Amino acid sequence: MRVVIAGGAGFLGSHLTDLHVERGDEIVVLDDFTTGTRENVAHLEGNPQVTIVAVDVSAEVPVTGTVDRVYNLASPASPPAYLERPLETLAVGSEGTRRLLELADANGARFVMASTSEIYGDPTVHPQVESYRGNVDPIGPRSVYDEAKRFSESITAAFNRSRGTNVGIARIFNTYGPRLAAGDGRVVSNFIVQALTGESLTIYGDGSQTRSLCFVSDLVAGLLALGDSDTLGPVNLGNPDERTVGEIAEAILRLTGSSSSLVYQPLPTDDPTRRCPDITRARSVLGWEPKVVTEDGLTITINHFRELLSA
Ligand code: UDP
């Protein structure tokens, strides 16, 4: 198979690229390297299966030859990263998605859209089922990400309806693991780096808001299963092991053996108060569910950051 992975040098994209390399596929990675990194794909340099193209897919998608599958993971994904790049985030979610859909459609390829649990906003339905339509402030600061992803779902479904393009939509919940960038700003990377360097763990708000953390190997296995299927979805991909942010901090302190203290900081605007996937559909349609226990995944991630910090 010849597979195009937009955002293939990012946290999730690079792990997905690895899965397709293992399957013997040919992969074209498209990444503008604003949040994706050369380090994430350094182990693939010189691999004849992989071509890496530095490009902003909201401006162009320079892929020639036949294509069997297109994944769209091109977007800043951590709140600090997309809040720093509001217009770029909107552009890649809209124009970038349209260009990648055109590529898939022209090739009769399967298109997989990496959407997000953020489309549910601050949810009034819990846990979140795919039929829930969400609670997003369309002009709030987070809307640049939420609405870009909502638009990307809309245009993906419209290509399917109007042109018969073979598409699937994944709604990805909080994911963690090796290759999360240390300065990325997400809760797991922040807390682990703070715990390992003896800094205080920064809890936003009172730490009672919840997230459900999925280990990266489980998540990309779900994306691959969606790619291999012919379902449109949308399909929630995440681990329903819901924890408060305070509990996540405690677990990381315990697993690192750190004596860092906790410091409370203001809650970001529109920070969702709770989030947990209902994965009934993923189980039944894809035969997928997460396997990695949160404590085990955190231990692997802590070891990754230990190595990174000592280097
Ligand atoms: N958070 C926190 N301290 C941090 C980073 C994040 O308390 O240093 C909180 C954040 O306010 C949110 C949750 O952890 O409630 C998850 O944040 P993250 O940025 O990882 O992802 P989100 O789910 O908000 O997109």
Side-chain angles (χ1 to χ4, degrees):
M1 235 182 10
R2 187 154 183 263
V3 182
V4 172
I5 304 183
F11 167 49
L12 293 182
S14 64
H15 284 279
L16 181 65
T17 301
D18 290 345
L19 278 190
H20 275 287
V21 167
E22 280 166 28
R23 295 218 310 196
D25 297 325
E26 192 186 323
I27 301 105
V28 180
V29 166
L30 307 177
D31 206 297
D32 71 351
F33 294 96
T34 53
T35 58
T37 66
R38 293 280 175 191
E39 295 78 63
N40 285 347
V41 288
H43 60 290
L44 300 170
E45 297 277 343
N47 185 324
Q49 285 170 259
V50 184
T51 307
I52 299 171
V53 184
V55 68
D56 172 4
V57 294
S58 62
E60 56 172 327
V61 173
V63 177
T64 52
T66 56
V67 173
D68 303 294
R69 190 175 297 176
V70 178
Y71 293 93
N72 182 14
L73 292 95
S75 178
S78 87
Y82 62 69
L83 292 171
E84 260 170 45
R85 302 172 180 84
L87 299 179
E88 293 85 346
T89 302
L90 286 160
V92 79
S94 54
E95 190 55 17
T97 301
R98 190 191 65 76
R99 288 179 188 278
L100 292 162
L101 277 160
E102 293 284 3
L103 175 70
D105 185 61
N107 282 277
R110 169 98 170 139
F111 176 86
V112 176
M113 179 65 217
S115 182
T116 169
S117 58
E118 279 279 331
I119 69 109
Y120 299 124
D122 190 11
T124 55
V125 167
H126 193 73
Q128 289 77 60
V129 279
E130 289 89 347
S131 55
Y132 176 53
R133 295 179 184 184
N135 177 29
V136 171
D137 175 357
I139 60 161
R142 287 177 92 102
S143 68
V144 296
Y145 184 66
D146 304 356
E147 297 290 5
K149 291 289 189 180
R150 291 175 69 96
F151 176 87
S152 68
E153 288 199 16
S154 171
I155 192 172
T156 297
F159 262 72
N160 174 262
R161 265 195 304 271
S162 65
R163 297 201 196 162
T165 316
N166 178 2
V167 304
I169 297 169
R171 291 185 179 153
I172 299 173
F173 285 65
N174 296 66
T175 307
Y176 69 100
R179 298 188 198 150
L180 259 182
D184 172 89
R186 275 182 270 205
V187 65
V188 172
S189 44
N190 274 9
F191 285 178
I192 291 178
V193 171
Q194 290 160 346
L196 292 177
T197 56
E199 286 168 42
S200 299
L201 273 59
T202 51
I203 296 195
Y204 303 160
D206 63 5
S208 65
Q209 71 272 32
T210 68
R211 292 296 187 270
S212 306
L213 303 176
C214 188
F215 191 64
V216 65
S217 61
D218 280 332
L219 200 288
V220 294
L223 278 177
L224 190 65
L226 179 62
D228 289 343
S229 79
D230 56 7
T231 190
L232 188 150
V235 182
N236 286 339
L237 295 179
N239 188 331
D241 178 8
E242 183 183 8
R243 314 235 180 156
T244 67
V245 164
E247 288 165 348
I248 295 169
E250 276 169 31
I252 288 172
L253 286 178
R254 188 162 26 82
L255 293 168
T256 52
S258 166
S259 52
S260 286
S261 55
L262 305 178
V263 61
Y264 292 85
Q265 295 185 355
L267 192 67
T269 308
D270 290 337
D271 196 284
T273 50
R274 53 191 184 164
R275 184 181 286 158
C276 180
D278 180 316
I279 59 166
T280 309
R281 183 178 287 176
R283 283 197 174 104
S284 68
V285 176
L286 305 178
W288 173 87
E289 62 181 0
K291 296 190 174 72
V292 179
V293 173
T294 305
E295 268 62 22
D296 295 345
L298 286 175
T299 301
I300 295 169
T301 312
I302 288 165
N303 291 337
H304 159 78
F305 278 109
R306 270 211 177 97
E307 277 172 30
L308 205 71
L309 293 172
S310 68

